[in-house]
Amino acid sequence: MIIFLKGLLFGFLLAATVGPMWVLCFRRTLAQGALAGFVSGMGIAVADGLYGAVAAFGLTAISGFLLQHGFWIRLAGGTFLVYLGVKILLSNPATNGNEVPKVSHPKAFLSTLGLTLANPPTILAFVAIFAGLGLASNADYGTASLVVLGVFLGSASWWVLLAAGAGWLRGRVGPKLVRVINVVSGLTILGFALWQLAAVLR
C-alpha cells in the first residue's frame, strides 16, 4: 500500500508539472468544455501508465527500441507541437454565434496520448524515480502493478481536477480574455516545441 501511495503521488505531481500538455488540456477545456479536457487528460494518463509499465516491469526490449528511435519520435512530436502552437495562436474566440472548430473526443485522446509518448527518454525518468521508490526492475508483478496503477490514477486525478477547474471558468470569461489565453497558450506551446526540437537536434 505504501508503494502504491508513492506511485499515486508521483503520478499526480508528474501530471501537475506545467508543460505543453498541461497548457493544451487547459485551453481545450476552455474552448470545448470539461469533457474535452478530461478526455485529453486521459490520453496523457494512459501514456504515463504505459511508460510506467515499461519501467516497472523491466521491459528492456520495448524501452531499447523506443530509445533507439527516440530522435525521430521526438522530432515528430516537436514538429506536431509547433503545428498545435501556431494553430492555437492564430485561432479566434467564437463571436456572433459562430462555433469554435472542435476536436472530436477520440482525436483529442489520441493526440495527447501520441504527444506524451513522443518523448521516449521519459522511460529513464520513470526508472530513476522507481528506483528511488524502492522498486527494482526484478520486483514481483504484484508490486510493479500497484506502482503502475498508482501512477495512472495519480495522473488521472490531476487531469480530472484541471478539467473541472477550467470547465468552471468556461463561460465566465469573455472573448477578449479567451483571445489572450489563446495567445499565451500558443506561445507557450511553441516555446516548449522549439525547446524540444533544439534539444533533439543538439
Side-chain angles (χ1 to χ4, degrees):
M1 183 55 65
I2 294 297
I3 205 163
F4 168 76
L5 293 176
K6 287 181 179 180
L8 189 71
L9 180 61
F10 169 63
F12 184 87
L13 295 177
L14 177 70
T17 303
V18 177
M21 297 297 95
W22 195 105
V23 177
L24 180 60
C25 286
F26 181 80
R27 193 262 173 186
R28 276 184 180 171
T29 304
L30 289 181
Q32 297 182 223
L35 183 57
F38 170 75
V39 171
S40 298
M42 287 306 99
I44 303 168
V46 169
D48 287 342
L50 290 174
Y51 271 159
V54 170
F57 290 103
L59 304 177
T60 54
I62 296 176
S63 61
F65 174 84
L66 292 172
L67 292 172
Q68 182 181 356
H69 297 85
F71 173 83
W72 297 109
I73 296 173
R74 295 176 71 192
L75 183 63
T79 303
F80 189 65
L81 278 178
V82 170
Y83 163 76
L84 280 179
V86 171
K87 184 177 179 181
I88 292 172
L89 185 62
L90 298 178
S91 65
N92 289 310
T95 55
N96 300 324
N98 295 323
E99 290 292 331
V100 176
K102 293 186 176 181
V103 178
S104 67
H105 292 152
K107 187 176 179 181
F109 174 85
L110 292 174
S111 65
T112 52
L113 174 67
L115 282 170
T116 307
L117 290 176
N119 191 25
T122 303
I123 295 174
L124 300 179
F126 272 103
V127 170
I129 294 296
F130 287 170
L133 293 177
L135 175 68
S137 60
N138 61 350
D140 64 271
Y141 288 134
T143 302
S145 298
L146 281 176
V147 174
V148 173
L149 179 62
V151 168
F152 169 75
L153 292 178
S155 179
S157 298
W158 167 255
W159 298 116
V160 169
L161 291 175
L162 180 67
W168 180 83
L169 287 175
R170 188 178 186 241
R172 291 175 169 80
V173 295
K176 289 185 179 180
L177 184 54
V178 172
R179 177 58 186 154
V180 171
I181 292 172
N182 285 347
V183 171
V184 173
S185 298
L187 290 175
T188 302
I189 290 177
L190 273 175
F192 280 116
L194 294 177
W195 178 82
Q196 176 166 325
L197 289 174
V200 170
L201 295 176
R202 183 172 63 249

